[in-house]
Amino acid sequence: MAFDFEKIKNDFPILDQKIYNKQLIYFDNAATSQTPLQVIEAEANVYKTYNSNIHRGVHCLSNKCTEAFEDVRKRTAKFLNARNNFEIIFTKGATESINLVAFSFVNTFLNKGDEIIISEMEHHSNIVPWQLMKQYKGIALKIIPVNEQGELNIEAFQNLLSPKTKLLAITHISNALGTINPIKKLIDIAHNNGTKVLIDGAQAVQHIKVDVQELDCDFYVFSGHKLYGPTGTGVLFGKEDLLNSMIPYQGGGEMIQTVSFEKTTFNELPYKFEAGTPNYAGIIGLGAAIDYINEIGLDNITAYENELHKYAESQLLTIPGLRIIGTAKHKTSVTSFLVDNIHPYDMGMMLDKIGIAVRTGHHCAQPIMDKFKIPGTVRASFAFYNSKDEIDSFVSGVRKVKQMFA
Amino acid sequence: MAFDFEKIKNDFPILDQKIYNKQLIYFDNAATSQTPLQVIEAEANVYKTYNSNIHRGVHCLSNKCTEAFEDVRKRTAKFLNARNNFEIIFTKGATESINLVAFSFVNTFLNKGDEIIISEMEHHSNIVPWQLMKQYKGIALKIIPVNEQGELNIEAFQNLLSPKTKLLAITHISNALGTINPIKKLIDIAHNNGTKVLIDGAQAVQHIKVDVQELDCDFYVFSGHKLYGPTGTGVLFGKEDLLNSMIPYQGGGEMIQTVSFEKTTFNELPYKFEAGTPNYAGIIGLGAAIDYINEIGLDNITAYENELHKYAESQLLTIPGLRIIGTAKHKTSVTSFLVDNIHPYDMGMMLDKIGIAVRTGHHCAQPIMDKFKIPGTVRASFAFYNSKDEIDSFVSGVRKVKQMFA
Amino acid sequence: MEINDIQEDIIEEFSGFDDWMDKYSYLIELGNDLDGFDEKNRLDQNLIEGCQSKVWLNAELTNGKVIFTADSDAIIVKGIVALLVRVWSNHTPQEILDNDLYFIDRIGLKDHLTPTRSNGLVSMVKQMKLYALAFSAKN
Amino acid sequence: MEINDIQEDIIEEFSGFDDWMDKYSYLIELGNDLDGFDEKNRLDQNLIEGCQSKVWLNAELTNGKVIFTADSDAIIVKGIVALLVRVWSNHTPQEILDNDLYFIDRIGLKDHLTPTRSNGLVSMVKQMKLYALAFSAKN
Ligand SMILES: Cc1ncc(COP(=O)(O)O)c(C=O)c1O
Ligand SMILES: Cc1ncc(COP(=O)(O)O)c(C=O)c1O
């Protein structure tokens, strides 16, 4: 392993605690990742030393705070390999990023009857915003089906495309199944049809290197709190020309050039899409999270997490009656499963009692649960601070619970 | 003075620093207030001990985090004296709260040609969202004029009302002038006309006690970062029946009951308006800020700040050629001024060099600057941690700068 | 037996468990043993859909007493459902309305009855009271 | 004089100030002394509207050299404007295009030329280069 596991454990004091007298094992990373001390301190340090409302201030603290905030924009652009810093819009989370595009892209470019494609495995945050636009604007929503393994049906996708298809909005990695979608391929197919593409990277940026120029996606979104950063932070990457053409989303301070009751002109990118005082302390924390990840190295993280994930699935499968939901060829870090005759809620409740935090239920992806005709799953999701030892305890925990229900 | 000033100073380590070798004097509180250690620690403590995505989790940390988050909702409801906890919607700031109402209220209740009234002294965040709706929805925007002192013309307001007036959106306290508007009176007049009322309390909740039941306002909004809380947090209070009738704003996780491609049903209040993972760590910090204020006592704060504010204005007015912009009878905590022949930017720059942080420019309230035919003002705004000594240094600073420009 | 006597009995029963596992084993047992939910009552109108698990609740008034029958798809929830039925079923609407449910706290299962749990139990308790109210109004 | 000789001169002049006040007094003096901005050039097209202050910039090509004249409504900004004009005015478009503006950093006024300052100065520098480019293309 290329990184210092002991040091990493020290960066996350939350992991070193007992739950009902059992050592905590945190396998709910896909819901939110834990936050290293470096991030907690970067954010606290804002409030302790230079907190001040950013932009337009002439005094020293305000300049310092503005520079720290804008510097995170640069580091985020670099993290995604965006061409321009101003293609990075800060939001409060992936959900808001998608809502922003849903409102501004659809209202700028789509007419009644135009079509948007999503998939059957999307998170509610990449379904409902489009459903709302369907209602408000009369656009149509098409759905790419998923096979038994939890993989997209690419042929079906190609058949859904029409001259009216203006956008494909699709997840990079499924939060419920762990499937890594072949997004480069999907983007190419979509672009050949003149269709723009939004990638929901909420479950991707923390696991694999993303290069928006190489992918050539039009929009890419993620949440800070799943990338070891603070809650209330999110990112929207958008291509310059699209963002420039799009009407603004929210109105307020920051996003204007001049305001009068007769005529208001909007600010340039990125400010046009950042109405109101941003969560600058949170964003500065997100910057520290990106630095933290870069220091460990995303490649190292990917390799280690893949190892964990493979190990977990192989060990789980030794339990009779356990079946893994989502068996795509390309998967990462998320393992959803069910044990015969045990309701996922019961499994989650009992694992909690032995210190193991997993998520249960539909994972905000009801359509794919309905498709698989299951009420939900038990989901264990891993991060680089987890270990094989923890997986061993987890697997024996699942066995124990199974016995109790026998 | 009823509170312990020395203790308070210790709670704000940021204030104890030197800028260019001069003791910092922070008079930019209307842009953002400083954050006491109690708030910084409450937020850090989330990440250090129980951080976990809230709602729907079955495990221990998730329950703990959810309860802490929902408890802040109760304390916020109490802070504003809202009838029900679920009338408190958490947002990322006052700007977002206003945008939410602009979108959801207008799209639910207004038709083309219906009217909304705002005033000439609004912050851009209470102007642009309505201008956007004007554009998208064809509603009309009427403006209450302001007199030379910076007070609303109530008679003119009454004349603007018509059967088509569906909403009055008005600031409680002006961020540029310091005027305290007679909102109880405005609300009564509006209600007599069947007009609903949104109050922008971004500059009010930190200075005076607000009771939404007594005011009987329909919506009340504020930002956490101006109330000694974290950035990226905000509140929308709305009356139950209105919020229930209104269409949702953003779509995503949390705000739904069930999702399918055929039919999605929305969650009940307050969740219907809280799409995506909320800034729960920030909101828990906001809860600590509310506790902090309650402990000092808002009445004590009001009394002390009024004293500071009166003292500051009386001292400033001893400087020849200095004129105060905004001389309303009811004012608080904000003093905007200009000195003959000195551009506000120059004044701000030079004050900064002697350690004094003030804001200069149009304060995101261009229309009122245009009305007064000035490019902007120098604005000193006070908080309970400021002192008369600081005001003395500030006034002598202004004198010094004036001499340099003589 | 009076409602509160039943509550006391349950508290007594649970006082013997010193660890979580024993308590939950007992809940599972209670869940497994709960029957009497008539399939003809498995109707949408009797369904309380929590986000995590489902609860079915049926109520009838027989000889002035409310007879509750209930079910859940999750066994631990079903165990708690069994306890709730045991406590309140077979009492008059007024007795139910007047009763204060305290055993849940005392046996350390409060966690399961917080509004944010969305396992259907909070709604179930509300619904039971509403039935009692409806039946008492009818009387 | 070569552009960089002027930059060196300015750095030399500022090296004598040991505190902020002296430096800013000098900037104010420079601002007050700057004239030569012809009122007929106070046109919208010459206006660079910062959020905090305004800058007017006019450029003409005379005998192959760019003549900049400029003004600002804020005196400290005007002082910096005076320095920028002194450095780049009266040079050929190519000399301006090739030049690297370093004196601002060296005299400790970098803060005033960050994009977030919105006092018009960053845009002014960009605009001066653009004029030079436009004039060099014409030649
Ligand atoms: C794939 C995916 N998209 C979007 C989201 C929404 O993220 P957030 O709740 O942080 O806005 C999530 C979070 O669960 C997710 O997993
Ligand atoms: C009166 C008023 N309204 C609204 C706002 C917007 O607040 P925020 O930028 O925190 O969303 C402000 C902040 O300056 C304000 O002073």
Side-chain angles (χ1 to χ4, degrees):
Chain A
M1 198 170 55
F3 56 93
D4 183 349
F5 197 70
E6 277 318 303
K7 188 201 158 293
I8 285 172
K9 277 270 178 184
N10 285 334
D11 293 337
F12 295 87
I14 191 173
L15 297 173
D16 184 21
Q17 69 173 297
K18 288 199 156 49
I19 301 290
Y20 316 109
N21 283 317
K22 304 275 163 31
Q23 170 60 41
L24 169 66
I25 294 179
Y26 185 77
F27 282 174
D28 194 15
N29 294 289
T32 199
S33 56
Q34 294 304 339
T35 316
L37 285 176
Q38 288 81 342
V39 171
I40 302 173
E41 274 157 20
E43 194 172 349
N45 190 42
V46 175
Y47 295 121
K48 283 181 190 166
T49 64
Y50 61 96
N51 176 44
S52 184
N53 210 328
I54 58 172
H55 299 140
R56 297 178 183 175
V58 303
H59 59 81
C60 176
L61 295 188
S62 175
N63 287 320
K64 201 167 161 187
C65 210
T66 303
E67 271 161 39
F69 176 77
E70 290 300 332
D71 195 64
V72 179
R73 202 186 301 278
K74 285 186 209 153
R75 276 134 69 205
T76 308
K78 203 161 161 217
F79 181 68
L80 294 179
N81 194 30
R83 187 169 286 117
N84 302 298
N85 299 332
F86 55 74
E87 290 176 321
I88 300 298
I89 312 290
F90 290 125
T91 66
K92 67 177 175 178
T95 300
E96 180 170 65
S97 299
I98 296 172
N99 276 275
L100 190 165
V101 176
F103 182 88
S104 297
F105 182 85
V106 169
N107 279 304
T108 304
F109 297 115
L110 271 72
N111 296 312
K112 207 178 149 170
D114 281 343
E115 296 165 6
I116 289 180
I117 297 181
I118 62 176
S119 90
E120 221 170 11
M121 67 166 86
E122 299 308 312
H123 186 278
H124 294 165
S125 290
N126 198 27
I127 299 176
V128 186
W130 311 111
Q131 289 184 323
L132 293 177
M133 291 317 299
K134 185 173 152 183
Q135 222 167 296
Y136 302 149
K137 189 86 185 183
I139 58 159
L141 207 53
K142 300 282 168 93
I143 317 294
I144 309 175
V146 163
N147 69 16
E148 281 304 303
Q149 285 70 51
E151 291 164 331
L152 293 177
N153 183 333
I154 307 280
E155 210 182 289
F157 164 54
Q158 284 171 308
N159 293 333
L160 288 176
L161 284 166
S162 87
K164 288 186 160 180
T165 316
K166 293 298 191 298
L167 187 76
L168 165 68
I170 192 140
T171 196
H172 195 160
I173 297 182
S174 156
N175 72 308
L177 308 174
T179 313
I180 307 177
N181 286 321
I183 56 165
K184 178 65 192 144
K185 192 168 163 184
L186 298 171
I187 291 166
D188 290 345
I189 296 172
H191 282 176
N192 270 333
N193 189 58
T195 300
K196 305 292 181 199
V197 184
L198 175 144
I199 303 292
D200 175 358
Q203 296 293 341
V205 285
Q206 61 277 52
H207 299 303
I208 54 176
K209 178 81 198 126
V210 170
D211 181 330
V212 293
Q213 287 190 68
E214 194 189 304
L215 288 173
D216 196 30
C217 56
D218 301 285
F219 302 101
Y220 196 98
V221 311
F222 68 85
S223 281
H225 72 94
K226 294 185 201 272
L227 185 71
Y228 313 102
T231 60
T233 62
V235 167
L236 163 65
F237 157 82
K239 280 189 188 164
E240 176 180 6
D241 56 335
L242 286 172
L243 291 179
N244 267 327
S245 314
M246 278 155 56
I247 59 169
Y249 179 48
Q250 300 183 329
E254 293 274 334
M255 56 72 77
I256 54 84
Q257 194 82 271
T258 57
V259 172
S260 73
F261 294 124
E262 296 73 39
K263 185 172 162 47
T264 288
T265 56
F266 302 119
N267 208 335
E268 56 194 14
L269 292 178
Y271 311 110
K272 177 175 143 190
F273 289 107
E274 294 180 357
T277 303
N279 182 4
Y280 55 81
I283 292 294
I284 291 168
L286 176 61
I290 289 175
D291 296 346
Y292 186 85
I293 307 264
N294 285 338
E295 205 172 298
I296 301 181
L298 208 39
D299 290 343
N300 291 328
I301 290 174
T302 307
Y304 179 66
E305 287 177 346
N306 279 341
E307 206 180 304
L308 279 188
H309 176 249
K310 284 216 184 78
Y311 182 70
E313 297 211 342
S314 69
Q315 292 305 104
L316 281 171
L317 285 171
T318 64
I319 300 174
L322 185 145
R323 97 191 131 102
I324 287 180
I325 311 296
T327 50
K329 216 164 132 206
H330 298 286
K331 274 187 72 175
T332 187
S333 286
V334 166
T335 296
S336 260
F337 65 94
L338 283 173
V339 180
D340 280 356
N341 303 320
I342 303 181
H343 192 282
Y345 182 76
D346 291 325
M347 178 61 78
M349 284 292 316
M350 297 311 293
L351 287 175
D352 176 50
K353 295 294 171 291
I354 49 184
I356 300 165
V358 292
R359 190 132 302 225
T360 62
H362 54 55
H363 316 298
C364 290
Q366 281 186 343
I368 195 71
M369 299 294 132
D370 292 349
K371 158 93 171 198
F372 288 159
K373 297 198 175 52
I374 51 180
T377 72
V378 183
R379 182 186 71 185
S381 51
F382 312 109
F384 59 81
Y385 41 64
N386 292 132
S387 68
K388 285 192 181 175
D389 284 354
E390 288 179 328
I391 289 174
D392 289 338
S393 307
F394 160 64
V395 174
S396 79
V398 174
R399 272 185 211 283
K400 214 192 278 174
V401 173
K402 199 185 160 221
Q403 271 152 21
M404 287 187 65
F405 284 85
Chain B
M1 198 169 55
F3 56 94
D4 182 349
F5 197 71
E6 277 318 302
K7 186 200 158 296
I8 286 171
K9 276 271 176 185
N10 285 335
D11 294 336
F12 295 87
I14 191 173
L15 297 174
D16 185 21
Q17 69 173 295
K18 289 201 155 50
I19 301 290
Y20 316 109
N21 284 317
K22 303 276 162 36
Q23 170 59 42
L24 168 66
I25 294 178
Y26 184 78
F27 281 175
D28 194 16
N29 294 289
T32 199
S33 56
Q34 295 304 339
T35 315
L37 285 176
Q38 287 83 342
V39 171
I40 301 172
E41 275 157 20
E43 195 172 349
N45 190 42
V46 176
Y47 295 122
K48 284 180 189 167
T49 64
Y50 61 97
N51 177 44
S52 185
N53 209 327
I54 58 171
H55 299 139
R56 298 177 183 176
V58 304
H59 59 81
C60 175
L61 296 187
S62 175
N63 288 321
K64 202 166 159 186
C65 211
T66 303
E67 271 162 39
F69 176 77
E70 289 300 333
D71 195 65
V72 179
R73 202 186 300 277
K74 286 186 209 154
R75 277 135 71 205
T76 308
K78 203 163 161 214
F79 181 68
L80 294 179
N81 194 31
R83 187 170 287 117
N84 302 298
N85 299 332
F86 54 74
E87 290 176 321
I88 301 297
I89 312 290
F90 290 124
T91 66
K92 67 177 175 178
T95 299
E96 181 172 63
S97 299
I98 297 172
N99 277 275
L100 190 166
V101 176
F103 182 88
S104 297
F105 182 86
V106 169
N107 279 304
T108 304
F109 297 115
L110 272 73
N111 295 310
K112 207 180 145 163
D114 281 342
E115 297 165 3
I116 288 179
I117 297 180
I118 60 174
S119 89
E120 221 170 12
M121 67 167 86
E122 298 309 312
H123 186 279
H124 293 165
S125 290
N126 198 27
I127 299 175
V128 186
W130 311 110
Q131 288 184 323
L132 293 178
M133 290 317 298
K134 184 174 153 184
Q135 224 167 296
Y136 302 149
K137 189 85 185 183
I139 57 158
L141 207 53
K142 301 283 170 91
I143 317 294
I144 309 174
V146 163
N147 68 17
E148 281 303 306
Q149 286 70 52
E151 292 164 329
L152 293 177
N153 182 332
I154 307 278
E155 210 182 290
F157 165 53
Q158 284 171 308
N159 293 334
L160 287 178
L161 284 166
S162 87
K164 289 185 161 180
T165 315
K166 294 295 190 298
L167 187 75
L168 165 67
I170 193 142
T171 196
H172 195 160
I173 297 181
S174 155
N175 72 308
L177 308 174
T179 312
I180 306 177
N181 285 322
I183 55 165
K184 178 66 191 141
K185 190 168 163 185
L186 298 172
I187 292 167
D188 290 346
I189 295 171
H191 282 176
N192 270 334
N193 189 56
T195 300
K196 304 292 181 200
V197 184
L198 175 144
I199 303 292
D200 174 358
Q203 296 294 342
V205 285
Q206 62 276 53
H207 298 304
I208 54 177
K209 178 83 198 122
V210 170
D211 181 331
V212 293
Q213 288 190 69
E214 194 191 303
L215 288 172
D216 197 29
C217 55
D218 301 284
F219 302 101
Y220 196 97
V221 310
F222 68 85
S223 280
H225 72 93
K226 294 185 199 271
L227 185 72
Y228 313 102
T231 59
T233 63
V235 167
L236 164 64
F237 156 82
K239 281 188 188 164
E240 175 180 6
D241 57 334
L242 286 172
L243 291 179
N244 267 328
S245 315
M246 277 156 55
I247 59 169
Y249 178 48
Q250 299 183 329
E254 294 272 332
M255 57 71 78
I256 53 86
Q257 195 82 271
T258 58
V259 171
S260 75
F261 295 124
E262 295 73 41
K263 185 172 162 49
T264 288
T265 56
F266 302 119
N267 208 334
E268 55 193 14
L269 292 178
Y271 310 110
K272 176 175 144 189
F273 290 107
E274 293 180 358
T277 302
N279 182 3
Y280 55 80
I283 292 295
I284 290 168
L286 177 60
I290 288 175
D291 296 345
Y292 187 85
I293 306 265
N294 286 338
E295 205 172 298
I296 301 181
L298 209 40
D299 290 343
N300 291 328
I301 290 174
T302 308
Y304 179 65
E305 287 178 346
N306 278 341
E307 206 180 302
L308 279 187
H309 176 249
K310 284 217 183 78
Y311 182 70
E313 297 211 341
S314 70
Q315 292 306 102
L316 280 172
L317 284 172
T318 63
I319 299 173
L322 184 147
R323 100 192 130 101
I324 287 179
I325 311 295
T327 50
K329 216 164 135 205
H330 298 286
K331 275 186 72 174
T332 187
S333 286
V334 166
T335 296
S336 260
F337 66 94
L338 283 173
V339 179
D340 282 355
N341 302 320
I342 302 181
H343 192 282
Y345 183 75
D346 290 325
M347 177 63 77
M349 286 290 317
M350 297 311 293
L351 286 175
D352 176 50
K353 295 295 170 291
I354 49 184
I356 300 164
V358 292
R359 190 131 302 224
T360 62
H362 55 56
H363 316 296
C364 290
Q366 280 186 344
I368 195 72
M369 299 294 132
D370 291 349
K371 158 91 170 200
F372 287 160
K373 298 195 175 55
I374 50 180
T377 71
V378 182
R379 181 185 73 184
S381 51
F382 312 109
F384 59 81
Y385 41 64
N386 293 131
S387 69
K388 285 193 181 174
D389 284 353
E390 287 178 330
I391 288 173
D392 289 338
S393 306
F394 160 63
V395 173
S396 80
V398 174
R399 270 185 214 284
K400 216 194 274 174
V401 174
K402 196 183 164 225
Q403 270 151 22
M404 286 187 65
F405 283 85
Chain C
M1 209 152 64
E2 303 258 324
I3 294 181
N4 284 354
D5 293 336
I6 310 174
Q7 296 207 62
E8 292 300 328
D9 277 4
I10 294 173
I11 292 163
E12 175 71 25
E13 281 161 32
F14 274 78
S15 68
F17 304 127
D18 12 69
D19 81 353
W20 284 103
M21 283 300 152
D22 293 345
K23 197 187 283 182
Y24 277 85
S25 293
Y26 186 54
L27 279 179
I28 292 168
E29 206 182 302
L30 290 175
N32 282 327
D33 290 351
L34 179 71
D35 45 24
F37 193 78
D38 197 327
E39 281 311 310
K40 77 170 176 5
N41 291 326
R42 204 176 294 282
L43 305 168
D44 272 2
Q45 81 220 43
N46 285 336
L47 175 62
I48 297 164
E49 186 130 31
C51 163
Q52 291 273 351
S53 56
K54 296 173 181 180
V55 170
W56 289 267
L57 173 69
N58 188 65
E60 280 161 30
L61 193 69
T62 310
N63 301 328
K65 293 189 170 172
V66 190
I67 309 298
F68 289 114
T69 52
D71 197 5
S72 172
D73 59 347
I75 196 77
I76 294 172
V77 176
K78 199 169 163 184
I80 299 174
V81 160
L83 292 170
L84 290 168
V85 168
R86 177 169 155 203
V87 169
W88 274 351
S89 196
N90 231 330
H91 291 93
T92 66
Q94 198 55 48
E95 283 168 340
I96 297 167
L97 283 173
D98 291 344
N99 187 250
D100 174 31
L101 213 60
Y102 61 82
F103 83 95
I104 298 280
D105 265 41
R106 297 275 295 283
I107 64 177
L109 293 179
K110 197 182 74 174
D111 269 14
H112 295 271
L113 273 117
T114 62
T116 51
R117 263 305 170 110
S118 52
N119 51 15
L121 286 171
V122 172
S123 306
M124 174 177 168
V125 171
K126 259 195 218 148
Q127 194 58 44
M128 290 171 98
K129 285 264 185 190
L130 281 177
Y131 273 122
L133 191 66
F135 288 135
S136 79
K138 253 202 224 160
N139 274 10
Chain D
M1 212 152 62
E2 303 258 326
I3 294 181
N4 283 355
D5 292 338
I6 308 175
Q7 296 207 62
E8 292 300 329
D9 277 4
I10 294 173
I11 292 164
E12 173 71 27
E13 281 162 31
F14 273 78
S15 69
F17 304 126
D18 12 68
D19 81 355
W20 283 102
M21 282 302 152
D22 292 346
K23 197 188 283 184
Y24 277 85
S25 291
Y26 185 54
L27 279 179
I28 292 169
E29 205 182 301
L30 290 175
N32 281 328
D33 290 351
L34 180 70
D35 46 23
F37 193 79
D38 198 326
E39 281 310 311
K40 80 172 170 14
N41 290 328
R42 203 175 294 282
L43 304 169
D44 271 2
Q45 79 219 45
N46 285 336
L47 175 64
I48 297 164
E49 187 130 30
C51 164
Q52 291 272 350
S53 57
K54 296 174 180 177
V55 170
W56 288 267
L57 173 68
N58 189 65
E60 280 161 31
L61 192 69
T62 310
N63 299 328
K65 295 194 167 170
V66 190
I67 308 298
F68 289 115
T69 52
D71 197 5
S72 171
D73 59 346
I75 196 75
I76 294 172
V77 175
K78 199 169 164 183
I80 300 172
V81 160
L83 292 170
L84 290 168
V85 167
R86 179 170 153 202
V87 168
W88 275 351
S89 194
N90 231 331
H91 290 92
T92 66
Q94 199 55 49
E95 284 168 340
I96 297 166
L97 284 174
D98 291 345
N99 187 251
D100 173 32
L101 214 60
Y102 61 82
F103 81 96
I104 298 280
D105 265 40
R106 297 276 296 283
I107 64 176
L109 294 179
K110 197 182 73 174
D111 269 15
H112 295 271
L113 273 117
T114 62
T116 52
R117 264 305 171 109
S118 54
N119 52 15
L121 285 172
V122 173
S123 306
M124 172 174 170
V125 170
K126 259 195 220 149
Q127 195 56 44
M128 290 171 99
K129 284 264 186 189
L130 280 177
Y131 273 122
L133 191 66
F135 288 135
S136 80
K138 253 202 224 161
N139 273 9

